[in-house]
Amino acid sequence: MEHLIRIEHIGIAVKDLNAAEDLYARLLGSASYKREGVESEGVITSFFKAGPNKIELLESTRPDGPIAKAIEKRGEGIHHIAFEVADIRAEMARLKEEGFTLLNEEPKPGADNKLVCFVHPKSASGVLVELCQEIR
Ligand code: ZN
């Protein structure tokens, strides 16, 4: 059984979503197909298709939000890598057993009709890993 099925998207922290949307539309050769706010995370997101994968641009909607803090620390750039999983609860249990630190104990609603869970970058070589499962 495959656990982390594929890279679903790469999340990129940006300061100015309008400017970044223009830039990525030129880079990828196609426009963003949706914008969506995630109130609980204090972000507004914009999604692009890149073949079978996606790019998720994230702009903070509040100065103390996780994206604002990430930009403060490291500047704009890659924020997380999201892997698609078939059963998020099972994968969360498996990763916990493998010694990874999860940032949320329960799957939570994310953008793009997904349940998500984040793995702490300290337990994943400095990479913030997102697990995401499509809500059907
Ligand atoms: Zn994401």
Side-chain angles (χ1 to χ4, degrees):
M1 177 192 165
E2 259 188 288
H3 293 279
L4 271 54
I5 300 166
R6 67 182 177 107
I7 293 177
E8 212 275 341
H9 66 270
I10 293 175
I12 299 173
V14 303
K15 288 182 186 165
D16 179 339
L17 192 60
N18 288 325
E21 262 181 350
D22 285 348
L23 184 88
Y24 273 83
R26 286 192 288 122
L27 178 71
L28 300 170
S30 63
S32 164
Y33 66 92
K34 95 164 138 183
R35 260 194 188 200
E36 191 182 336
V38 183
E39 189 57 49
S40 58
E41 299 290 308
V43 295
I44 178 152
T45 65
S46 179
F47 282 89
F48 292 80
K49 292 202 168 98
N53 311 104
K54 298 170 190 162
I55 298 290
E56 174 189 35
L57 303 179
L58 306 118
E59 184 195 271
S60 189
T61 56
R62 42 173 212 250
D64 61 337
I67 293 300
K69 282 186 184 158
I71 290 175
E72 213 172 277
K73 266 197 220 159
R74 296 184 296 274
E76 293 185 296
I78 293 181
H79 178 257
H80 63 270
I81 299 180
F83 293 91
E84 181 184 343
V85 297
D87 181 344
I88 194 164
R89 284 175 193 278
E91 290 309 317
M92 286 168 71
R94 184 182 69 84
L95 292 181
K96 244 176 136 170
E97 197 147 307
E98 292 282 1
F100 291 92
T101 305
L102 305 181
L103 289 177
N104 46 299
E105 289 296 316
E106 285 292 314
K108 58 183 183 179
D112 203 27
N113 196 39
K114 300 280 198 302
L115 283 175
V116 303
C117 174
F118 288 93
V119 178
H120 199 295
K122 279 199 176 118
S123 64
S125 306
V127 175
L128 178 61
V129 171
E130 176 186 333
L131 308 178
C132 63
Q133 180 188 344
E134 184 115 43
I135 300 169
R136 282 176 242 271

